[in-house]
Amino acid sequence: MTLRRPVLSVETLIALVTGYLLVMANGPFWRAAMVGRDMGGLGDWGFAAALAVLVGGLHFVALGLLSTRWTVRPLLALVVVVASVAAYYMDRYAIYLDRAMLRNVLATHYDEAVELFSLRMVGFVLVFGVLPAVALWWPQLRARPWPRALAIRAAWLLAALALAVAAILPVFADFASLMRNHKEVRHLVTPGNAVVALVGNLWGRSAAHPATRQAVAPDAAPGPAWAQRSRPTLFVLVVGETARARNFGLNGYERMTTPELAARDVVNFPRVTACGTSTEVSLPCMFSPFGRRDYDEDRIRSHESLLHVLARAGFQVQWRDNQSGCKGVCDGLEQVQLSKAGVEGLCPEGQCLDEVLLHGMDRVLADARGNLFVVMHQLGSHGPAYYRRYPDAFRRFTPACEKNDLRLCTPAEIRNAYDNSILYTDHVLAKLIDYLKARQDRYDTAMLYVSDHGESLGENGLYLHGVPYRLAPDVQREVPMVAWLSPAFRQAFGVDGACLQREAQRPVSHDHLFHSMLGLLDVATQAYDRSHDMFAACRTPVTAVPAAAANRARSASSAP
Ligand SMILES: [Zn+2]
């Protein structure tokens, strides 16, 4: 017995696939769109049906515009496979596939991408993506003379559009309120979300990537008190990764995950809010003068960062990276990529541990010409493979989750692995402080550590990070921040340590970083905003400048 291959029109095939996608790939969308409805009444089901016709109709039109008898199968196959991958991650990690998230995924290192792969994911994609995609080649496609094919296609497209509009009209009030109150559900409509995000990124990349960035603080110059500082400054800013405030020992977490920092003379800032919930958003934002309070992604990306301003004021700036780069904030400045440095004992399986960031610092200092501002970009607690972020000696909370698929671990195992990664970050920071202490004879040294965003560890079914900012839970937005200022640095820059311990209890955010660094490092510019300088209240105003030094500074600043 042989199975006869059915004969379908291109339009029928698209309609079938659209229906399949509505069911297979849109679970998160349906749950989000129907939230608060018990689906007990006819009205709820009517609303769901109207949404299905709208979403299905729009996808049908988009696919119908791009399909011919020869392109339809490859196109639909690609769409089904992409949708299955997207559906798997949206469902498992409750992520929203928007521009920022996709950029995050695309910018991810190959190693991190490999960590996201799991047997379950491969199985899911095989069954719900690849298999249906292969099945597309089973039916035969009806051939029509092209004028007739064109007319039939046009009729189908118009009908689909009309149906979509007709379906949504009776429930328009409900629909409008859904769009107003939960606009983000559109990022759950699959695979439309993936296509829109991809196009948005390609468009955004070409449109908002100017060859030259607009200047920020073009007047930046060393403040007058620099004239009386006899030694160069060495400041290290550590950008943490995925460390959340709640699991930080110094913040009162029930586990002491920061024993080494606690044993040093540091200032802890317990109430710090990040600018974004992903590296792609937070990094450019925290180095910009605009911040979250005045958030505009294109504006941030088209302007210079804090690092360019510091360079203009005479600092030698170096970005040291153990992750996926500086996201544009160090364009044109010195960069050292260390994630694949292959340093003996620090780089198991090719990916280096964060201690590698200190590797080669002696060389940097030996070559330094004056004031140094070094950024160390950690791999920190980057998930889901938390267990690969620390060496064996830091496997202290056990049993720790040692799988790439977090859902295969218990909440306690996930927390153990995550806390171990914080323990290791604590060690790296302490080692850095000790390194800076040992260089106090030649430099005024200081360090500031702040994480880029937090993380969900399964609370409310959420994992990882990247939930749109306004919706994100606090654990994704609240980050640890720690400062260490050597006694000589405090003296040279007029910082009162006891005052700082008190002031650090106030809530601050990534928005404070730009102005706080300019203020602390005594960079004079019109762009400086004292109200966003978290050190300002604890700094002695620079008045007691000896006459000779003041004159030197004055003649230096008036020089052409
Ligand atoms: Zn990050």
Side-chain angles (χ1 to χ4, degrees):
M1 188 186 104
T2 53
L3 272 174
R4 198 144 28 99
R5 291 173 72 191
V7 182
L8 300 178
S9 69
V10 170
E11 290 81 9
T12 314
L13 189 63
I14 298 174
L16 286 173
V17 168
T18 305
Y20 172 70
L21 291 172
L22 278 177
V23 177
M24 181 277 288
N26 283 284
F29 167 70
W30 291 119
R31 282 194 295 278
M34 295 300 141
V35 82
R37 295 169 184 267
D38 58 7
M39 302 311 282
L42 214 57
D44 292 343
W45 287 100
F47 184 60
L51 279 183
V53 173
L54 175 74
V55 171
L58 294 181
H59 276 94
F60 179 89
V61 170
L63 293 167
L65 284 172
L66 295 172
S67 295
T68 67
R69 205 151 60 82
W70 294 275
T71 61
V72 67
R73 285 194 274 227
L75 176 73
L76 293 181
L78 183 70
V79 164
V80 168
V81 172
V82 168
S84 69
V85 176
Y88 179 85
Y89 285 112
M90 290 194 308
D91 200 35
R92 293 187 91 62
Y93 298 121
I95 59 175
Y96 289 75
L97 195 57
D98 59 7
R99 251 172 91 173
M101 178 55 90
L102 186 79
R103 206 171 42 239
N104 221 10
V105 172
L106 295 179
T108 307
H109 261 185
Y110 170 75
D111 308 312
E112 294 163 18
V114 169
E115 283 171 9
L116 281 171
F117 272 87
S118 64
L119 267 183
R120 255 177 210 229
M121 180 247 173
V122 173
F124 183 92
V125 171
L126 272 180
V127 173
F128 294 101
V130 175
L131 215 62
V134 170
L136 289 170
W137 271 265
W138 186 48
Q140 288 178 303
L141 291 178
R142 182 170 296 134
R144 293 190 181 108
W146 73 262
R148 191 172 142 72
L150 210 62
I152 290 177
R153 178 67 53 84
W156 272 84
L157 294 181
L158 283 175
L161 264 184
L163 207 63
V165 173
I168 214 65
L169 280 181
V171 295
F172 193 76
D174 278 7
F175 178 69
S177 102
L178 178 71
M179 284 298 114
R180 201 167 43 244
N181 301 322
H182 301 283
K183 219 164 87 186
E184 64 287 346
V185 299
R186 70 189 193 282
H187 296 309
L188 296 173
V189 175
T190 313
N193 54 358
V195 175
V196 169
L198 192 64
V199 171
N201 275 322
L202 292 176
W203 179 261
R205 193 150 292 182
S206 57
H209 222 276
T212 52
R213 288 163 180 267
Q214 279 178 262
V216 168
D219 60 338
W226 273 103
Q228 62 185 10
R229 293 189 188 104
S230 51
R231 306 193 312 163
T233 292
L234 166 57
F235 196 101
V236 180
L237 173 64
V238 182
V239 178
E241 174 59 52
T242 318
R244 63 186 215 177
R246 189 187 288 183
N247 291 49
F248 214 64
L250 287 175
N251 289 340
Y253 182 45
E254 66 206 57
R255 284 175 169 176
M256 186 27 96
T257 50
T258 55
E260 297 190 42
L261 282 174
R264 281 161 183 78
D265 183 21
V266 298
V267 181
N268 181 50
F269 296 77
R271 299 164 71 191
V272 184
T273 313
C275 174
T277 61
S278 69
T279 312
E280 289 289 323
V281 171
S282 280
L283 217 53
C285 181
M286 67 201 277
F287 282 92
S288 86
F290 311 116
R292 171 57 58 180
R293 68 192 180 286
D294 204 6
Y295 191 75
D296 179 342
E297 188 191 318
D298 292 336
R299 188 153 156 239
I300 289 173
R301 286 177 182 270
S302 61
H303 280 74
E304 290 181 339
S305 77
L306 168 67
L307 302 181
H308 299 108
V309 178
L310 291 174
R312 186 171 299 128
F315 279 84
Q316 182 189 340
V317 177
Q318 184 181 81
W319 182 283
R320 301 173 72 78
D321 203 287
N322 189 32
Q323 219 209 94
S324 49
C326 72
K327 316 292 176 198
V329 306
C330 66
D331 277 1
L333 301 169
E334 232 179 293
Q335 303 177 36
V336 183
Q337 182 54 248
L338 291 155
S339 61
K340 295 280 182 292
V343 177
E344 183 83 45
L346 285 181
C347 306
E349 303 166 48
Q351 174 67 56
C352 297
L353 295 162
D354 278 336
E355 275 169 276
V356 79
L357 289 165
L358 273 163
H359 185 77
M361 271 302 286
D362 286 341
R363 181 83 244 178
V364 176
L365 296 193
D367 295 345
R369 303 176 296 276
N371 295 318
L372 258 176
F373 189 88
V374 176
V375 185
M376 295 186 175
H377 187 202
Q378 295 190 323
L379 193 51
S381 303
H382 198 292
Y386 307 122
Y387 71 98
R388 293 174 65 183
R389 302 292 164 252
Y390 50 87
D392 287 348
F394 291 84
R395 196 195 285 121
R396 289 190 212 151
F397 300 112
T398 54
C401 176
E402 301 197 340
K403 300 187 175 83
N404 290 344
D405 192 337
L406 294 177
R407 301 249 176 164
L408 300 176
C409 292
T410 65
E413 288 167 342
I414 295 171
R415 181 177 158 214
N416 286 340
Y418 184 82
D419 286 349
N420 288 336
S421 74
I422 301 284
L423 270 176
Y424 180 60
T425 287
D426 170 63
H427 172 70
V428 172
L429 295 177
K431 198 170 161 182
L432 170 61
I433 290 173
D434 294 346
Y435 181 88
L436 296 175
K437 266 184 192 159
R439 300 268 159 343
Q440 291 183 92
D441 54 333
R442 287 173 36 223
Y443 286 94
D444 294 335
T445 58
M447 178 214 76
L448 181 71
Y449 162 81
V450 61
S451 178
D452 63 344
H453 51 75
E455 183 86 326
S456 284
L457 295 175
E459 296 91 357
N460 302 318
L462 290 177
Y463 293 86
L464 307 177
H465 53 265
V467 170
Y469 195 77
R470 274 183 306 268
L471 300 172
D474 290 345
V475 285
Q476 291 193 21
R477 282 194 301 224
E478 292 171 356
V479 291
M481 181 161 84
V482 174
W484 176 83
L485 313 176
S486 66
F489 182 94
R490 270 181 264 164
Q491 200 185 4
F493 291 86
V495 181
D496 176 345
C499 167
L500 203 52
Q501 290 289 0
R502 285 195 308 275
E503 285 291 312
Q505 305 308 309
R506 292 178 189 271
V508 286
S509 73
H510 277 169
D511 285 22
H512 287 78
L513 188 66
F514 182 88
H515 301 285
S516 300
M517 290 318 307
L518 293 186
L520 187 62
L521 294 173
D522 192 13
V523 173
T525 164
Q526 296 276 333
Y528 170 68
D529 168 10
R530 194 174 190 276
S531 71
H532 281 86
D533 180 350
M534 60 200 177
F535 304 113
C538 299
R539 245 192 345 260
T540 331
V542 188
T543 47
V545 182
N551 285 336
R552 254 203 323 276
R554 226 169 279 133
S555 61
S557 65
S558 61

